[in-house]
Amino acid sequence: MPLAMNRLTLDRARTLLDAAPDINVLVVGDLMLDVYLRGAALRISPEAPVPVVRVDEEWRALGGAANVAANVVALGARCTVCGVIGEDPSGGQLRAELGSLGISHAGLVSLDDRPTTVKTRVLARQQQIARYDRENDEDVSAADAAVLVERIMDLASTADVIVVEDYNKGVLVRDVIEGCRRAAAEFAIPMVVDPKSRFFFEYTDATVFKPNLPELSAALRDRALPDDAAWMEETRRRLGCRNLLLTLGDEGMSLMTEHGEHVRVPTVARSVYDVSGAGDTVIAVVALALAAGGSMTEAAVLANHAAGIEVGKAGVTTVTTAELLAAVAEHTGV
């Protein structure tokens, strides 16, 4: 079985990343606001056997599909998001966070009957000890889905690639998925999908379908065999995608291309500090590399380097162009 890490030179990586300022990415999916509360936990509450955290830091960041967008602009490309937020203070904060990074929110749909999805994490210094969520994960209405599809068709006309990021929060219903497929076909641009279980088999014709190992096993109700080329090809055909990119956690990735090539991309992570957001980083880099003219294997290798950097950082974060080129240089010995 061929290994893919020697398929990307430093010069080629630089060429792909240098194209980023000319690339416009449309990200469609479940937008979230991440809130972090951090402080010292020096005693146990007298009310219950839980630590008392004295908060001395609080900050906000983009989560879910919005974090994919943050990764896109961190690498120098342009990005527009399409999804729903609530007509609430958190929706205003999410919109402000997008604006602060230069991410267009022309595709946002504000709803007065649905809260903005917010995940709040409580940290005792570096250790997360609790998380609480505010959300409504019911399907958006048919009328709201129609508005989203209209935005997608309009925004895709000037996009170079569509990223579909599903977190099972009710935005990516069948009509919206079909709208993404139709837009990608009409404007002849790649559609890169990070799926969740509910509509796993609805993304036929996706340029790239990127589940992780547990997601794929659960959807197929069978054990996945990422090192078996015949199994990977059979699964790719069953899913109806052009390229199947299966992420394997600390074992890297397995790729089956539409040309029948099966390659393994071994992990390059030196240490795993926090896996939060690694999938968002991978899908963003794959989309950028393909839009820049990279091959599927080049996109997978570059994304694998990005994931190796991301998991070495605390929390949901992004990867810069300089970090990514340094990682490729280190691996290639340049």
Side-chain angles (χ1 to χ4, degrees):
M1 175 175 49
L3 298 179
M5 294 308 292
N6 61 350
R7 306 286 190 91
L8 183 71
T9 66
L10 179 59
D11 284 345
R12 183 58 174 159
R14 185 177 288 112
T15 296
L16 295 175
L17 293 171
D18 282 350
D22 296 322
I23 293 172
N24 184 22
V25 180
L26 173 60
V27 176
V28 181
D30 297 301
L31 305 170
M32 305 179 194
L33 181 68
D34 288 339
V35 178
Y36 294 86
L37 305 173
R38 181 162 62 192
L42 302 178
R43 63 190 179 94
I44 300 298
S45 171
E47 303 163 356
V50 295
V52 176
V53 177
R54 184 171 180 174
V55 175
D56 52 35
E57 287 183 87
E58 178 176 349
W59 70 95
R60 289 163 176 75
L62 297 173
N67 184 49
V68 176
N71 275 274
V72 167
V73 297
L75 293 171
R78 291 170 287 129
C79 189
T80 302
V81 295
C82 184
V84 301
I85 59 172
E87 292 184 358
D88 51 24
S90 296
Q93 291 166 2
L94 196 154
R95 192 187 296 269
E97 290 289 336
L98 291 168
S100 71
L101 295 179
I103 300 168
S104 170
H105 41 71
L108 287 187
V109 177
S110 297
L111 304 178
D112 60 7
D113 59 350
R114 189 183 187 96
T116 301
T117 299
V118 180
K119 295 184 177 183
T120 301
R121 296 170 174 86
V122 181
L123 310 174
R125 294 308 176 200
Q126 301 300 323
Q127 181 66 45
Q128 182 180 155
I129 62 171
R131 192 185 93 182
Y132 57 93
D133 298 353
R134 295 189 182 98
E135 64 183 18
N136 176 352
D137 59 3
E138 295 179 0
D139 288 354
V140 295
S141 68
D144 293 332
V147 174
L148 286 167
V149 171
E150 184 179 349
R151 301 279 177 91
I152 290 165
M153 295 303 296
D154 179 52
L155 295 168
S157 65
T158 56
D160 298 294
V161 59
I162 299 175
V163 176
V164 183
E165 182 67 32
D166 192 357
Y167 273 86
N168 276 349
K169 302 303 179 186
V171 167
L172 287 164
V173 295
R174 284 189 173 90
D175 286 350
V176 175
I177 293 169
E178 177 57 30
C180 292
R181 293 176 62 233
R182 182 154 47 92
E186 181 169 331
F187 299 109
I189 56 178
M191 182 175 78
V192 182
V193 178
D194 193 353
K196 283 293 183 287
S197 58
R198 187 172 175 212
F199 293 117
F200 208 82
F201 295 95
E202 301 291 329
Y203 294 100
T204 53
D205 302 323
T207 309
V208 183
F209 192 74
K210 188 208 74 64
N212 62 38
L213 187 63
E215 289 168 342
L216 185 59
S217 296
L220 299 177
R221 297 183 181 180
D222 196 6
R223 184 168 66 94
L225 302 174
D227 294 328
D228 185 327
W231 185 91
M232 286 287 290
E233 174 60 12
E234 179 185 351
T235 303
R236 185 192 71 80
R237 290 179 178 273
R238 180 177 174 184
L239 293 168
C241 60
R242 288 171 53 189
N243 300 282
L244 173 61
L245 180 62
L246 179 59
T247 55
L248 307 172
D250 59 6
E251 294 186 7
M253 304 176 181
S254 178
L255 169 67
M256 176 56 71
T257 75
E258 61 184 321
H259 305 298
E261 184 179 21
H262 178 225
V263 292
R264 280 284 272 111
V265 188
T267 185
V268 293
R270 288 186 170 182
S271 61
V272 178
Y273 186 87
D274 189 341
V275 298
S276 301
D280 299 340
T281 299
V282 168
I283 205 75
V285 174
V286 167
L288 276 178
L290 291 181
S295 70
M296 189 60 232
T297 302
E298 289 173 332
V301 173
L302 193 62
N304 189 57
H305 280 295
I309 298 166
E310 203 279 342
V311 298
K313 300 181 179 183
V316 176
T317 186
T318 59
V319 174
T320 67
T321 301
E323 289 173 324
L324 194 43
L325 288 175
V328 175
E330 180 179 356
H331 183 83
T332 57
V334 176

